[in-house]
Amino acid sequence: MKPQSDRVLGLLDPDVVLGLATIPALVVLVGGSAIAQTLQNLGTISEELFRGDRLPHLDLDDRS
């Protein structure tokens, strides 16, 4: 058994804490990448939506 000073908060072994922290860290990295890709795609779609050549031509006369 390891000495008390090698334990985290006197309860867990540092190797166990590192192992438990790995999965949430990977989920955050993969999730962040997916969110960034989704936001980039949403930006591209909104650019296409508001692009000038896709909007109808408005015939404006100066006659009032």
Side-chain angles (χ1 to χ4, degrees):
M1 187 156 163
K2 292 185 178 183
Q4 186 72 13
S5 63
D6 287 349
R7 294 177 167 260
V8 176
L9 300 175
L11 300 173
L12 296 172
D13 190 27
D15 294 335
V16 173
V17 174
L18 181 63
L20 292 174
T22 301
I23 293 174
L26 289 175
V27 168
V28 166
L29 289 173
V30 171
S33 176
I35 290 171
Q37 184 66 35
T38 302
L39 289 174
Q40 187 174 15
N41 288 339
L42 184 63
T44 302
I45 291 169
S46 68
E47 283 181 18
E48 290 297 321
L49 180 65
F50 294 112
R51 183 188 271 184
D53 62 354
R54 305 266 178 170
L55 296 175
H57 177 69
L58 299 176
D59 188 24
L60 300 176
D61 292 331
D62 288 337
R63 295 178 272 160
S64 297

